[in-house]
Amino acid sequence: MVAPSLKLQDLIEEIRGAKTQAQEREVIQKECAHIRASFRDGDPVHRHRQLAKLLYVHMLGYPAHFGQMECLKLIASSRFTDKRVGYLGAMLLLDERHDAHLLITNSIKNDLSQGIQPVQGLALCTLSTMGSAEMCRDLAPEVEKLLLQPSPYVRKKAILTAVHMIRKVPELSSVFLPPCVHLLHERHHGILLGTITLITELCERSPAALRHFRKVVPQLVQILRTLVTTGYSTEHSISGVSDPFLQVQILRLLRILGRNHEESSETMNDLLAQVATNTDTSRNAGNAVLFETVLTIMDIRSAAGLRVLAVNILGRFLLNSDRNIRYVALTSLLRLVQSDHSAVQRHRPTVVDCLQETDASLSRRALELSLALVNSSNVRAMMQELQAFLESCPPDLRADCASGILLAAERFAPTKRWHIDTILHVLTTAGTHVRDDAVANLTQLIGGAQELHAYSVRRLYNALAEDISQQPLVQVAAWCIGEYGDLLLEGNCEEIEPLQVDEEEVLALLEKVLQSHMSLPATRGYALTALMKLSTRLQGDNNRIRQVVSIYKSCLDVELQQRAVEYDTLFRKYDHMRAAILEKMPLVERDGPQADEEAKESKAAAQLSEAVPAPTEPQASQLLDLLDLLDGASGDAQHPPPLDPSPGGALVYLLDLPCAPPPPAPIPDLKVFEREGVQLNLSFIRPPENPALLLITATATNSSEGDVTDFICQAAVPKSLQLQMQAPSGNTVPARGGLPITQLFRILNPNKAPVRLKLRLTYNHFHQSVQEIFEVNNLPVESWQ
Amino acid sequence: MSLGNIRQGKLRLQKWYLATSDKERKKMVRELMQVVLARKPKMCSFLEWRDLKVVYKRYASLYFCCAIEGQDNELITLELIHRYVELLDKYFGSVCELDIIFNFEKAYFILDEFLMGGDVQDTSKKSVLKAIEQADLLQEEDESPRSVLEEMGLA
């Protein structure tokens, strides 16, 4: 025969010795050929070695599928060496997608029952790593038996295997729930830990199990208390903290049991206070327990004093020299800032200090938290800090910081002038990072503050004179100068130093903006319109303005060209109307349609043959107003789906809505599906003006502890009916009653045939993919007769 | 929860507790490697990746990464990683990267005695190491002289 096959370690040496990727590939391909041949020959002695080598190259990214059957053979062997590698191979190479995986079920069954602990351990471990739903169903009885075995080694593994089985096959909860209460009496930490994990899993999946296990709260409290008060144990302590893994797991279960339940929360109150105050905080292990305690306190119905204690612990965490601790503190405080606002406010100075963190993930959270802490009493101080931060913060945070400041300013501005100053400062510091609507917001704000027109236009003029590169600033400044140019030239304003500006300077500045290559087309539009408005605000003659307007009549930019042509026409043919048209704008209503504006413009427009220059509002808000109008007119109870993926989908839907008054007699809803807290409900509408039409709204809700994602519903109807499905409102339903998904079905049933539906649901829940196909035959008679 | 060590982009161990295709796993590993290797030394041990949280810790030339879910405790995960490294250290006697490379199956066996389905099985170092020892013993008993002779072609 050929030379004996390479040992694993020799192969690894050879691979590492390869100087290039190509060389490595060569070595591996050669060896894989040998391995394949060896598998074909069916050599039982070296099989485990060949598979081990194969697993190594698999880890490097090379294909190893031809080893799958070998795993099976090795697992079936009686040698422990073979089983060890075989099971490892199964965990690495096989999963429920491969048909071969079912074939190990029998071997696992045998290994579980033959009583050699290490072998049972291997089998259980493999089952819990890659066991599919079928395998779990088959092997559940075996695992159940092992729960009662005397050996803790096997029992602890069996318990965790049960956890996996329940994840795969929720019905098995009924098998594994009964032993739990008894298992809680065990002393062995591994068994306790596994049991608590199992109970947690059961409670998260089923409200009935949750209710059932509330009765063990006193026992859990006792277990934790014993742990905390027991002295140092070499076996389970970490940094002086008794079994932090077990403590954390108990705390987590207590959180789930105490949530929304007064009585349970009461029972655990004292213990939580004890853990919160007595845990050693010098090392990470203690802080891990403390952190979990805080999370539990905040999530259950705890006494007010305890909540404040918890927030204070987080505040202390913020001062910890360990970056990781500061991170979890910031994340948690962010979650609490709405519900426990005043408690978190107490730590505001520390939070603001965290803005200086060098680690971007920390400074980002500090920013979010700081913004959430701004209120009417601290707004001036906070804005100062945030503005300072804006000037020096890393570029990827700048946009969020800018928009955060603008939002906070809008909500809490003590005076209008302060507000204008703040926005101005943001525009000059981070102009390129502000959102598009900042311009509209500022113009509206200024427009509405009549007493500040003079102040605003001067400040903006100064800012513009210094720098014409920041587009949002330039746009606002141009607009302002156009509107209030007369106030700019008046010279007197108590708020700031007197400014001597003459008309030529103002015009020159606007022309500069017009001509600059840094100016966006929109900006130039603003500048041109401003120039035009100045023709009625300034005293001097308008030749210069007329000249500029004339030049832009042949501008390549179509928008500018159109404006220039219109303005030029205003000068030539409609000069008597120019003053009226270019009058100061009335205050624009932000939310409703621009009724006043349009009414004013349309009066003058009626006499012009060409279109009037549009008000300087960004295009986006006009589109939104359009949709608002349609929605208002239809008066239908249905809510149009937001964020529809298909373009034009939202509009199509709205137009499709029946505009008639609501149907006479409501048809009862029908629940058609329920699984682990996920429900699908159908509601029916038959528009009176179209008796053949049936509108069904399918609503998917989720009362469980786990989110539902990638939810897709498909439907089919009998041939005599016609079905049209609209796009769903989304494909995620968050846990614990999060926003449901709705989807509309339109069914045409001209023959009044009984309506039947076949539904297919696919979604992810508790990290498993679920597929359900079922028929709905019991629709209410009123839906089709 | 998945666990992997990486060093200048080479994977030394990966454990998946979720059924995903090989292709998808490769993609995720590549992505995760990039993200973790881009971290600077002074940054915290936690980062957000896809819809998960990743806890990572560097020991010499190896990064140990653990992906956990939203409600999991990051700090205790750090302890978990540390415990695993301690187990390796005790087993190999001052473990270094080469130990894990040349004895990768052992690294897996140790991990499988410590975690199951992503959850901790046993919080006693002693207990875990004893279990590995017993399994190793069983393996040695298994490898009877017969196979040595066979290797030499004398059986």
Side-chain angles (χ1 to χ4, degrees), chain A residues 518-579:
Chain A
M518 289 187 284
S519 297
L520 294 174
T523 311
R524 296 165 85 194
Y526 273 95
L528 188 62
T529 306
L531 269 175
M532 193 58 194
K533 288 186 196 168
L534 284 178
S535 73
T536 57
R537 314 274 198 265
L538 304 183
Q539 311 296 343
D541 67 37
N542 290 323
N543 283 330
R544 187 164 176 177
I545 298 177
R546 288 189 71 152
Q547 261 186 319
V548 174
V549 166
S550 192
I551 292 172
Y552 277 85
K553 272 166 51 178
S554 44
C555 173
L556 284 178
D557 182 296
V558 175
E559 170 75 31
L560 278 180
Q561 195 192 103
Q562 177 171 345
R563 287 183 195 232
V565 166
E566 288 163 6
Y567 294 156
D568 190 63
T569 312
L570 261 183
F571 273 125
R572 287 176 203 275
K573 290 204 247 172
Y574 299 96
D575 205 51
H576 56 285
M577 300 183 66
R578 186 164 47 88

Side-chain angles (χ1 to χ4, degrees), chain A residues 8-9 12-13 16 45-46 49 52 55-56 58-59 61 79-81 84 88 91-92 95-97 118 124-125 128-129 153 156-157 160-161 167 188-190 193 197 235-236 238 243-245 248 252 255 284-285 287-288 291-292 323-324 327-328 359 361-362 365 767, chain B residues 10-16 18-22 26 39 42-46 48 69 71-76 78-80 83 98 101-106 108-109 112-113 116-117 119-127 131-132 135-136 138-139 142-143 146 150-151:
Chain A
L8 169 64
Q9 313 229 324
I12 297 178
E13 282 271 17
R16 285 169 63 77
V45 173
H46 296 116
R49 177 195 289 174
L55 293 177
Y56 183 78
H58 175 254
M59 187 160 61
R79 289 175 60 194
F80 184 69
T81 313
R84 234 182 170 186
L88 179 61
M91 285 190 273
L92 291 175
D95 66 47
E96 42 196 63
R97 248 174 294 269
L124 286 169
C125 186
S128 82
T129 305
Y153 175 79
K156 74 186 184 197
K157 288 180 193 274
L160 287 178
T161 308
R167 287 178 183 150
H188 189 273
H189 283 228
L193 187 55
T197 310
E235 205 174 342
H236 297 287
I238 301 181
D243 205 335
F245 294 111
V248 164
R252 188 149 151 193
R255 177 153 82 244
N284 185 60
N287 285 322
F291 179 46
E292 195 74 32
R323 202 169 292 117
N324 294 329
Y327 177 93
V328 301
D359 181 345
S361 53
L362 267 82
R365 281 175 175 75
H767 288 276
Chain B
K10 276 211 139 57
L11 192 64
R12 299 294 180 210
L13 180 148
Q14 56 178 329
K15 189 78 184 180
W16 294 85
L18 250 134
T20 11
S21 72
D22 236 8
K26 279 206 182 115
R39 300 282 286 181
K42 292 270 180 172
M43 291 176 136
C44 69
S45 295
F46 316 126
E48 274 155 13
E69 293 172 304
Q71 72 270 36
D72 292 329
N73 182 329
E74 292 96 324
L75 299 179
I76 203 72
L78 276 175
E79 290 301 324
L80 186 148
R83 173 53 62 90
L98 284 178
I101 294 172
F102 282 94
N103 299 284
F104 77 98
E105 347 81 277
K106 295 284 166 58
Y108 275 106
F109 297 151
D112 287 341
E113 285 299 332
M116 245 177 78
D119 298 303
V120 176
Q121 297 177 40
D122 207 316
T123 53
S124 158
K125 242 190 298 189
K126 196 172 82 179
S127 176
I132 303 280
D136 283 348
L138 199 57
Q139 190 166 342
D142 238 17
E143 273 151 10
R146 177 187 67 107
E150 272 190 6
E151 275 181 40

Side-chain angles (χ1 to χ4, degrees), chain A residues 297-373:
Chain A
I297 292 174
M298 299 318 288
D299 217 9
I300 63 172
R301 298 271 176 87
S302 40
L306 196 54
R307 287 183 87 86
V308 172
L309 175 62
V311 174
N312 288 346
I313 291 175
L314 291 177
R316 271 205 324 269
F317 273 6
L318 276 183
L319 297 164
N320 196 304
S321 51
D322 184 345
R323 202 169 292 117
N324 294 329
I325 309 271
R326 296 204 294 276
Y327 177 93
V328 301
L330 284 170
T331 322
S332 309
L333 284 170
L334 204 48
R335 285 209 296 262
L336 297 174
V337 73
Q338 302 302 339
S339 55
D340 296 79
H341 193 86
S342 44
V344 180
Q345 274 287 356
R346 249 173 261 156
H347 303 279
R348 188 166 51 84
T350 327
V351 172
V352 169
D353 284 338
C354 289
L355 284 171
Q356 307 307 323
E357 293 276 358
T358 42
D359 181 345
S361 53
L362 267 82
S363 53
R364 174 180 289 281
R365 281 175 175 75
L367 175 62
E368 270 183 69
L369 191 51
S370 301
L371 287 169
L373 286 174

